[in-house]
Amino acid sequence: MLAKTLPEIGGMGHPIKRKEDLRFIQGKGNYIDDVQLPGMIYGHMVRSPYAHARITAIRTEEAKKLPGVLAVITGEDLAKANLAWMPTLFHDKQMVLATGKVLFQSQEVAFVVAEDRYTAADAADLVEIDYEELPVLIDPHKSQDSDAPILREDREEKSNLIFHWEVGDRAATDQAMKSAPVTAKVNAFFPRCHPAPLETCGCVIDFNSATGKLTAWITSQAPHAHRTVFALVAGLPEQNIRVISPDIGGGFGNKVPVYPGYVCAAVAALTVGRPVKWIETRSENLQSTGFARDYHMEAELAADKEGRLKALRVKTLADHGAFNAAAQPTKFPAGLFSICTGSYDFSSAFCEVDGVYTNKAPGGIAYRCSFRVTEAAYLIERAMDVLAQELKLDPVELRRKNFIPPEKFPYSSPLGWSYDSGNYQGALDLALERIGYNDLRKEQAEKRERGELMGIGISSFTEIVGAGPSHTFDILGLKMFDSAELRVHPTGKAIMRMGTKSQGQGHETTYAQIVAQELGIPAADVAIEEGDTDTAPYGLGTYASRSTPTSGAAAALAARKVREKARKIAAHLLEVSEEDLEWEPGKFSVKGAPGKSKTIQEIAFAAYTNFPQGMEPGLEAVHYYDPPNLTFPFGTYIAVVDIDKGTGEVKVRRFVAVDDCGNIINPMIVEGQVHGGLTEGLAIAFMQEISYDESGNIQGGTFMDYLVPTAVETPHWETGHTCTPSPHHPFGAKGVGESPNVGSPAAFVNAVVDALSHLGVKHIDMPLSPWKIWQILKDKGVTQ
Amino acid sequence: MIPKAFDYCRPKTLPEAISLLQQHGDAAKILSGGESLIPMMKMRLAQPEYLIDINQISGLEYIKEEDGYLKIGALTREADLEASDLIRSKYPLILDTAFSIADPQVRNLATVGGNLAHGDPANDHPATMLALNAEVVATGPNGERSIPIKEFFVSLFTTALQPNEILTEIRIPAPPAKSGGAYFKLERKVGDFATVGVAAQVAVDAKGVCQQAGIGLTNAGGTPIKAEKAEEFLRGKPLDDGNISQAASLAADDAHPSSDLRGPAEYKISMVRELTKRALTKAVNRASQER
Ligand SMILES: Cc1cc2nc3c(=O)[nH]c(=O)nc-3n(C[C@H](O)[C@H](O)[C@H](O)COP(=O)(O)OP(=O)(O)OC[C@H]3O[C@@H](n4cnc5c(N)ncnc54)[C@H](O)[C@@H]3O)c2cc1C
């Protein structure tokens, strides 16, 4: 446990209110659509109504004739500047504006620029495009069929297979599977879902022809990476590109990729010579930008008769849509999916993933998830319940028997990870106690007698976050370190700039608390800035629960560098040697003479007014943190559900979430993160899916059908914590933003399946819509 | 989400509004709460050239009992229904319905008139008004006419209103003693349109025998549906579980929903049966508690 600072200082562990909320709750945030520049004009995207079609003609004359229209840009226009295609963040390329053919419904085909938004929208209706429909490929299982249409004619390989990836020991796993007395198998589809941030994506791009500088305000979770991509794609010198990520209304991975709208707006700004704003509509956001999941997974578990696990074999088909627009580390085509051994000690495991193209929107991004960890956690936690059913064992017992025990950490997993620390049993026990597990099982037995349906679902997940160490992790070659630059002013106040970018996580508060902890400067006195590439140090941005593990670590280490310099100045001021000084948050005192001390504020003033001869003036430090390993947060979630037999509706009666994210910076922010993530998990489990009909028409492409839960649907979340610090992180933190989204879907599904398990139900795919449950009840003769 | 350009008129009186309708014909649309019309315009599914905003016309917002009717002015907001003592004490079916519509923000603006005039089988008031045997008052160049609710819903998004008519009032026959009603709506989340909904209104005599029964179905077909076979079946019968169950099956026979993301048709039909049971049971309970 870390020593706690005084509340006035507000270091780690203090539930101080979020500094940024003052402006947000007053409506004084500065979001992308708040950016107004003199002479600004507006872009509007023309999109494909077809999922797969050849473009035979595009006529823009009528649109151009409309008064107020300044330009209509097509793929052919972009091709002249070699900009019709751009790289994705995962070694594929993507059409900016379609040339030749379209590959998914809602694909970008032309970009209209006009004096105002309304004219731009009217003109978009006047762009005439002739299409010749082509056969569509929607079912990824058919992507390798001999009669499947080849979607990506631009690629050399005439195949819809993007990659085959495997990890683990196939032979040993197959052998273990064959010889095991008990096996269990589950085919689980994690549906395509969408982060649906409340603020859609957008940009304002301004090119100053006098200075040659391009300033791009973008809803970007990774502004520095975007600047580099812009430099590489557009060939502009990087010092002449400034990306500013203003306040962001939710990202969840959706704002990591570079979207065609940004490129088109930049081209329009350069050609028309005026600043261009482009803001997605809600449907555009849902239908064309980074979706998540869409993993068709199969897991097989091998165990002995007592339920001790032997092996795990996983085979997965990943649907990426028309382009592999995943944003994930280069070496990991399926992200960190190989964390699928979860919290359990396996002697062998093997995992293979095939990524394929279909006529759907491109992705998939990591929605509140450290690269496919959500899929992995869901799969293993679902499979554990299926095995428990097979063995007629309580799911709690099965988990207990197989947890990696605390003394085995650091633990090397058969799929190649080194888990930093864990106490899985501890989190499970606390959750069981909080929910009153034994009483619930009794109640369930009584209810079953009466024909009532009630279920209890457990998920003891392990995450892998904080990418990542430079020896293994990069995106487009950029190593996944992150940074902090701390400057202490003469009056003892400070500013710290970061390589990350908050989208609602509360960075302005938590990073300040890290400085408060390390230097004793009150958190209120530390300003945090992010998102402006001209001022902030280079970093890879915020996603994958990486801010605390990387930039948070950098903040602490930069503060420690400042403290070391402060010690020298204090020694000078107190006329003692450095070794004679003792540090407590906020001041250095002379050992044995506690009255003789200098506060950090006094020292800061001296750093500018009275520093020792020969010392560099000022008090600041920069740190680029290359993490030695990832961090492995974990927890146990338990859901209790009741099912209405008449309608198939599921009510989540209770939900206990015990998280272990190591040392906590701000418990209130952690609580908020957990609540938000659980609510998203609830939505994914019960109501959200973006599906496609046979012709490739998007279902669920508006908020009419893509359901975002409100407070009414959301149960009361009961939260708790255990604390197992990360041994390698400077202050023992692990990251928590994604745990609730990662861990909760399995708890919900396990609970519903548990309620129906006595009827022989082993698995139901999400979303667990009332009609699906009703169908099962009807098939089982439980309802009419 | 960017509507087409339109002209906006804000008449102060009903005759002025009607003459604007006469002038612009099909090119014009009445704007009440705008909670259905504006979203359709933003998606460019509706592209009226003229919007005639009737919100400045006074005397269209009221809830009162008069001449043996409950009279609701067309511009009465859902939120007004929820807050009305009269509705709260005597018209539980209307209260249930208002409460199940959308969310509080939408209910502050959405009007009862607009909810009916939109002609959307997914809206909740049509079923309720069918169960209550309401009449709709339309005002046009030749004055008022009253349309029985049964004849009001013609087809999807089409009502018996003429292009130059404005819906001005809804009249509901005052329920006899020992009446009760209830609305059950199955929805995927708050603010969602019904997967299906069922409105039931009954009046019983001292022995619990059904005197009147009204049943309306939401989102169970191309128009709002009056489950007349079920209504007829119940009249003169004791409202016990067996009869309620049979009536529920008859109501389900009248439903012809289509399959969509809310569920397959088969499910929706079954839900009409289930919700009819629940709505009737609650309506009967409420009726028998009434003196
Ligand atoms: C998010 C959301 C959720 C919703 N959920 C539900 C729900 O669950 N259940 C439900 O029933 N409704 C729902 N609605 C619809 C809403 O409740 C209103 O009932 C509906 O929008 C119509 O009322 P309005 O006053 O807004 O009509 P408007 O949108 O103003 O008009 C609707 C149509 O009726 C015509 N019209 C309006 N008033 C008159 C009149 N007096 N005379 C002639 N024609 C007229 C208009 O020209 C237009 O064509 C929802 C709306 C939203 C935005």
Side-chain angles (χ1 to χ4, degrees), chain A residues 30 39 58 160 234 332 391 402 425 434 459 543 633 654 760:
Chain A
N30 183 41
I58 301 183
N160 295 318
F332 302 94
L391 289 161
N402 291 290
Q425 182 72 50
R434 291 281 293 275
S459 166
Y543 44 85
R654 283 188 66 199

Side-chain angles (χ1 to χ4, degrees), chain A residues 90 163 165 167 295 326-338 371-372 415 417 464 472-474 480 630:
Chain A
F90 199 80
F163 63 83
W165 181 66
V167 56
Y295 259 35
Q328 58 201 4
T330 301
K331 288 195 182 134
F332 302 94
L336 310 186
F337 187 60
S338 52
F371 315 117
R372 307 294 185 181
L415 295 181
W417 299 113
I464 172 171
T472 320
F473 286 90
D474 70 86
M480 296 184 73
L630 295 119

Side-chain angles (χ1 to χ4, degrees), chain B residues 29-39 54 74 78 100-103 106 109-111 113-115 117-118 122-125 161 165-167 185 187 191-193:
Chain B
K29 277 259 175 218
I30 297 286
L31 177 77
S32 287
E35 297 304 294
S36 289
L37 186 53
I38 303 284
I54 60 172
E78 302 295 345
S100 74
I101 287 175
D103 50 52
V106 170
L109 278 173
T111 67
N115 198 289
H118 193 45
N123 275 358
D124 294 296
H125 275 303
L161 288 175
E165 283 182 324
I166 294 177
L167 193 166
K185 173 178 179 177
E187 58 185 1
D192 188 21
F193 287 100

Side-chain angles (χ1 to χ4, degrees), chain A residues 122 125 644 647 708 713 778, chain B residues 44 189-190 266-267 278:
Chain A
D122 286 349
D125 279 356
D644 182 331
T647 61
V708 179
E713 290 75 38
K778 186 160 175 277
Chain B
R44 298 197 168 205
K189 61 167 272 195
V190 71
E266 184 203 13
Y267 172 65
R278 294 182 187 189

Side-chain angles (χ1 to χ4, degrees), chain A residues 724-738:
Chain A
T724 313
S726 169
H728 63 74
H729 185 273
F731 52 88
K734 287 190 167 185
V736 76
E738 302 174 331

